[in-house]
Amino acid sequence: MIRIENICKSFDGNVVLESISHEFYPGKTNLVIGRSGSGKTVLLKILVGLLQPTTGKVWYDKVDFSTLDKKQVREVRMQVGMLFQGSALFDSMTVEQNIKFPLDMFTNWTTKEKLDRVNYCLERVNLEGVNTKFPSETSGGMQKRVGIARAIVLKPRYLFCDEPNSGLDPKTALLIDELIKDITYENQITTIVNTHDMNSVMEVGDNVMLLSGGKIAWKGNKSEIIGSDNEVLQDFIFASPFLKRLRVAALEQQKTKEGKK
Amino acid sequence: MNFNLFYHFGRYVSMMGQALTKPEKFSMYWKETVRQMEAIGVGSVIIVVLISIFIGAVSALQFCYQLDGQLVPMYYVGYIVRDLAIIESAPTITCLVLAGKVGSNIAAEIGGMRQKEHIDAMEIMGVNTAAYLVTPKVVAAIVVIPLLVTIAAFVGIIGGYLASVPAGYLTDMEYMRGLRAYFDPYNVTIMYVKATVFAFLITSISSFYGYYVTGGSIELGKASTNAVVIGNIFVLAGDYVIALLLT
């Protein structure tokens, strides 16, 4: 579990996050949603230690992340996997070398053991036979899947995904969502996903936190979204007239069902 | 450009402090060091040879011109070209050229990795990025640049020979006599001290500018330029300090 307590972050006096406290549970896809500029990425960078909060604490289970020295931070990070918005695959390495990199760096496994693990991870993300391709020779969706394979290769306890669906078509985005959800459930890891993709929220949002203007505007899960009367949430989730009509229809359907009962 | 010298120096020391720590896995660092040796060393041989041959040739011709008709014997041309190559032109000019070629390359490579979030990705894996990205480059340069400087010294002397002897400014015997005259092995020590110090300065300064790059492609271009300019200034300042201390 990851717990954050009163996280505040400001850059040159400009407040980006204000008193954020929340718990992210293992075995669940924890979503941080919000409009662009709401502070999602800053929060994610604070969670993984790439940025220091102005005030507040981040707990990885019982470990206070903010009190660790650089060596201890690296030890915690070896239990962390992260999928970046732009995948962050190393251009000069093949897909196989990209996924194998953490194994080369941190394990003493034999070459065969490493290759078996790489192939297992590739199989897990439904990408087989692309070992020798370079990232530039693969599509955006494939790069995301390679990113996920690299993130899970060391069997992390915590998985972070920054906008995993950005730039992907709806079908591929759904595939990535399902993959993240399955991996989370299978391995009972604590997954935190930053997204503003509504399909993701409704598909995999076990534990959702909405950020608006650097503050928590709403907390809940995907089944509570449609019925919620939180204006910020409704403005964000059902931003387009089409989605607003869908919501009205869904609520009417719900009322009809309840009336029949 | 931020001219806060203490701020930049503090960040440079902090980066080098992180870089000079125990590697997570020696074999990975060794592999990267060998890759860098090839990039810095093999990749720079041609330009070093070309520059050195012309510098040797120009030095010889200039001294032939200046000593012609003087009381100084012509074999002094060989002696001057040899010592000039060993003490100054081979280490300093070669490293100024390498600060441009290797320095800009390193700043762009590391800066590009910063911008594409490769460095963040490595950090999150638990890699000490300052160590993994900087140390192999510094170690490779400290091994390879003195070798390049050795080549530069030899080629410079050959350049001097080719420009002066076949053209008839002095005889083969005179040039050879000059090369053998008043040889002090201590000058070779100075050459290697210079080459090692300059190798460290070029790679660490350019790594620093790449490692802390922020923004987009314009900032990356600026970082690359700064790496070359500041690298050159430090090579020349270092040249002066070494000359002051060792001669």
Side-chain angles (χ1 to χ4, degrees):
Chain A
M1 188 175 79
I2 294 176
R3 188 157 55 87
I4 49 176
E5 271 178 23
N6 283 319
I7 294 288
C8 296
K9 180 70 185 174
S10 52
F11 296 99
D12 300 326
N14 178 27
V15 179
V16 177
L17 293 174
E18 210 176 324
S19 297
I20 308 287
S21 297
H22 193 58
E23 288 178 348
F24 303 99
Y25 303 104
K28 289 188 175 181
T29 38
N30 303 277
L31 300 191
V32 179
I33 61 172
R35 294 172 62 182
S36 299
S38 58
K40 299 188 301 292
T41 302
V42 172
L43 179 63
L44 200 72
K45 286 189 172 177
I46 288 173
L47 285 171
V48 295
L50 289 176
L51 285 176
Q52 291 300 313
T54 310
T55 58
K57 287 183 174 180
V58 178
W59 296 82
Y60 276 67
D61 292 313
K62 288 175 183 170
V63 179
D64 180 359
F65 197 58
S66 52
T67 59
L68 304 180
D69 62 27
K70 279 185 179 168
K71 199 181 166 195
Q72 290 167 321
V73 166
R74 282 190 201 111
E75 278 164 15
V76 171
R77 279 181 176 161
M78 282 166 70
Q79 300 172 42
V80 170
M82 182 155 175
L83 172 63
F84 283 82
Q85 193 172 351
S87 299
L89 300 176
F90 308 134
D91 312 317
S92 56
M93 295 183 190
T94 62
V95 164
E96 184 181 290
Q97 288 166 337
N98 261 286
I99 302 171
K100 198 155 68 74
F101 182 83
L103 298 174
D104 287 335
M105 190 60 96
F106 297 112
T107 71
N108 290 316
W109 297 3
T110 62
T111 308
K112 189 187 175 301
E113 284 170 333
K114 286 179 200 168
L115 281 179
D116 286 349
R117 179 70 189 157
V118 168
N119 288 330
Y120 169 79
C121 290
L122 278 173
E123 204 178 299
R124 186 65 200 80
V125 298
N126 305 317
L127 268 182
E128 285 146 284
V130 295
N131 297 45
T132 54
K133 283 190 189 297
F134 283 91
S136 58
E137 296 168 341
T138 58
S139 67
M142 284 163 92
Q143 287 179 17
K144 294 277 182 186
R145 282 187 276 170
V146 175
I148 295 174
R150 188 178 67 181
I152 62 169
V153 75
L154 279 176
K155 300 179 185 170
R157 289 176 61 198
Y158 314 99
L159 180 64
F160 296 89
C161 305
D162 189 16
E163 312 263 359
N165 297 329
S166 66
L168 299 181
D169 65 86
K171 210 167 179 180
T172 311
L174 199 67
L175 203 83
I176 299 287
D177 284 337
E178 281 171 2
L179 198 57
I180 292 170
K181 190 170 105 180
D182 291 348
I183 288 167
T184 303
Y185 292 160
E186 276 169 27
N187 305 294
Q188 286 296 300
I189 54 181
T190 305
T191 299
I192 301 172
V193 181
N194 256 5
T195 187
H196 44 55
D197 183 278
M198 285 315 102
N199 289 329
S200 299
V201 179
M202 302 311 279
E203 284 295 324
V204 297
D206 295 329
N207 174 21
V208 183
M209 175 171 78
L210 170 69
L211 285 181
S212 177
K215 293 178 185 166
I216 297 177
W218 184 82
K219 284 181 185 183
N221 62 51
K222 61 183 177 186
S223 57
E224 294 166 351
I225 289 175
I226 290 187
S228 167
D229 52 7
N230 183 301
E231 274 183 32
V232 182
L233 178 74
Q234 298 311 329
D235 272 358
F236 174 70
I237 301 273
F238 306 103
S240 73
F242 171 70
L243 287 172
K244 275 178 187 152
R245 284 199 297 275
L246 269 184
R247 182 184 175 239
V248 172
L251 284 172
E252 278 171 5
Q253 203 178 8
Q254 207 174 350
K255 275 181 192 169
T256 317
K257 272 185 188 173
E258 282 169 5
K260 277 181 186 175
K261 278 178 189 174
Chain B
M1 190 199 280
N2 188 344
F3 282 97
N4 190 338
L5 284 178
F6 290 112
Y7 172 73
H8 287 302
F9 183 68
R11 290 214 300 179
Y12 172 80
V13 171
S14 162
M15 185 196 78
M16 290 313 292
Q18 278 184 65
L20 301 173
T21 52
K22 195 181 165 206
E24 292 92 350
K25 202 167 185 195
F26 186 77
S27 60
M28 287 292 282
Y29 279 66
W30 172 244
K31 214 164 112 182
E32 183 60 13
T33 305
V34 171
R35 193 178 76 84
Q36 292 298 334
M37 279 181 187
E38 193 191 346
I40 298 169
V42 179
S44 306
V45 170
I46 291 175
I47 191 160
V48 166
V49 166
L50 276 174
I51 283 163
S52 306
I53 205 158
F54 283 112
I55 286 176
V58 171
S59 318
L61 290 181
Q62 285 281 262
F63 283 107
C64 285
Y65 167 70
Q66 286 184 298
L67 299 181
D68 191 31
Q70 306 290 321
L71 287 174
V72 182
M74 283 307 277
Y75 76 85
Y76 263 57
V77 172
Y79 158 57
I80 293 169
V81 168
R82 182 202 69 204
D83 274 4
L84 186 70
I86 291 174
I87 299 172
E88 201 53 45
S89 73
T92 310
I93 308 283
T94 302
C95 287
L96 286 174
V97 171
L98 290 177
K101 185 190 174 290
V102 177
S104 61
N105 196 344
I106 289 175
E109 182 187 322
I110 298 180
M113 290 182 78
R114 170 69 75 195
Q115 289 181 334
K116 289 180 191 169
E117 296 184 308
H118 293 175
I119 294 181
D120 287 347
M122 283 187 187
E123 280 283 343
I124 287 163
M125 283 174 202
V127 177
N128 178 354
T129 52
Y132 183 67
L133 296 174
V134 178
T135 309
K137 290 177 176 62
V138 172
V139 172
I142 286 175
V143 172
V144 165
I145 288 182
L147 296 176
L148 287 173
V149 166
T150 311
I151 294 171
F154 274 107
V155 172
I157 291 167
I158 293 167
Y161 177 90
L162 292 176
S164 56
V165 176
Y169 291 104
L170 67 164
T171 65
D172 178 76
M173 288 291 285
E174 281 174 317
Y175 194 81
M176 290 301 173
R177 186 180 169 195
L179 288 185
R180 291 193 192 115
Y182 317 117
F183 178 70
D184 185 354
Y186 180 66
N187 291 343
V188 178
T189 309
I190 295 175
M191 177 180 87
Y192 284 124
V193 169
K194 283 187 178 182
T196 309
V197 172
F198 297 164
F200 177 82
L201 289 173
I202 291 167
T203 44
S204 62
I205 289 170
S206 53
S207 298
F208 167 73
Y209 276 100
Y211 194 74
Y212 288 114
V213 78
T214 51
S217 50
I218 291 175
E219 284 77 10
L220 182 58
K222 279 182 187 167
S224 199
T225 307
N226 286 341
V228 176
V229 173
I230 305 295
N232 277 337
I233 291 170
F234 271 84
V235 165
L236 292 171
D239 192 28
Y240 171 72
V241 173
I242 293 168
L244 206 65
L245 295 175
L246 299 185
T247 56

